[in-house]
Amino acid sequence: CASGMDFLKHRIRPEKRAAYFSAVHYQLLHAVAAFTASVALRSPTTCEALGQKGVTRLRIAKNMWLTGSFVFSGSIYALILMGFDGHGPSPADDAATEEVTVKASSSTSVWGSGGVDVQGILRPLTPIGGTTMGFGWLVAALI
């Protein structure tokens, strides 16, 4: 988090830093949860106590935490690094994103006109990743 912030300090606007810290926070929280679940799943005593349904649910929860964290945090990191924040690229972003063409229309593209709408793809992924992490906790609560 600190080394990432040092790198990003001069590349992103201060208002984007909150999004960066949220992504780091949720990624760390769910990495710890997934690691703990992995350790528990390797223990015969824990697996015996949970039973087959409990083990299956814990595996599903772990996979949902990992997938959701990757999608949620990854989409935020990508949006920040590409300079998308709803306000267009900042002056500090201009040097790093010289080739990026940001248009106000629905054809926002990183590869010029007719390219892929990366912002349109990444923005909806953030809540999908967050929802996946939440469902992981719901599945874990059902153990």
Side-chain angles (χ1 to χ4, degrees), residues 65-88:
W65 292 330
L66 291 173
T67 303
S69 175
F70 176 78
V71 172
F72 176 82
S73 297
S75 64
I76 292 174
Y77 296 147
L79 286 166
I80 288 172
L81 291 173
M82 293 176 137
F84 296 123
D85 65 351
H87 306 292

Side-chain angles (χ1 to χ4, degrees), residues 27-131:
Q27 184 178 16
L28 179 62
L29 173 73
H30 289 88
V32 169
F35 175 76
T36 304
S38 294
V39 170
L41 288 167
R42 293 183 58 86
S43 166
T45 307
T46 304
C47 290
E48 186 178 315
L50 290 176
Q52 187 59 38
K53 278 187 178 180
V55 167
T56 301
R57 288 180 180 159
L58 187 56
R59 279 194 183 113
I60 291 169
K62 177 191 72 158
N63 290 334
M64 292 180 91
W65 292 330
L66 291 173
T67 303
S69 175
F70 176 78
V71 172
F72 176 82
S73 297
S75 64
I76 292 174
Y77 296 147
L79 286 166
I80 288 172
L81 291 173
M82 293 176 137
F84 296 123
D85 65 351
H87 306 292
S90 67
D93 291 335
D94 287 343
T97 59
E98 217 170 273
E99 297 175 20
V100 175
T101 304
V102 180
K103 298 177 184 175
S105 69
S106 63
S107 63
T108 301
S109 170
V110 296
W111 292 288
S113 62
V116 177
D117 181 10
V118 175
Q119 185 178 10
I121 293 170
L122 291 175
R123 282 204 188 272
L125 288 179
T126 306
I128 291 170
T131 302

Side-chain angles (χ1 to χ4, degrees), residues 1-10 12-13 17 20-21:
C1 179
S3 63
M5 198 63 229
D6 287 341
F7 171 76
L8 293 174
K9 189 180 345 179
H10 303 292
I12 64 170
R13 292 181 180 151
R17 292 181 189 157
Y20 172 79
F21 282 120

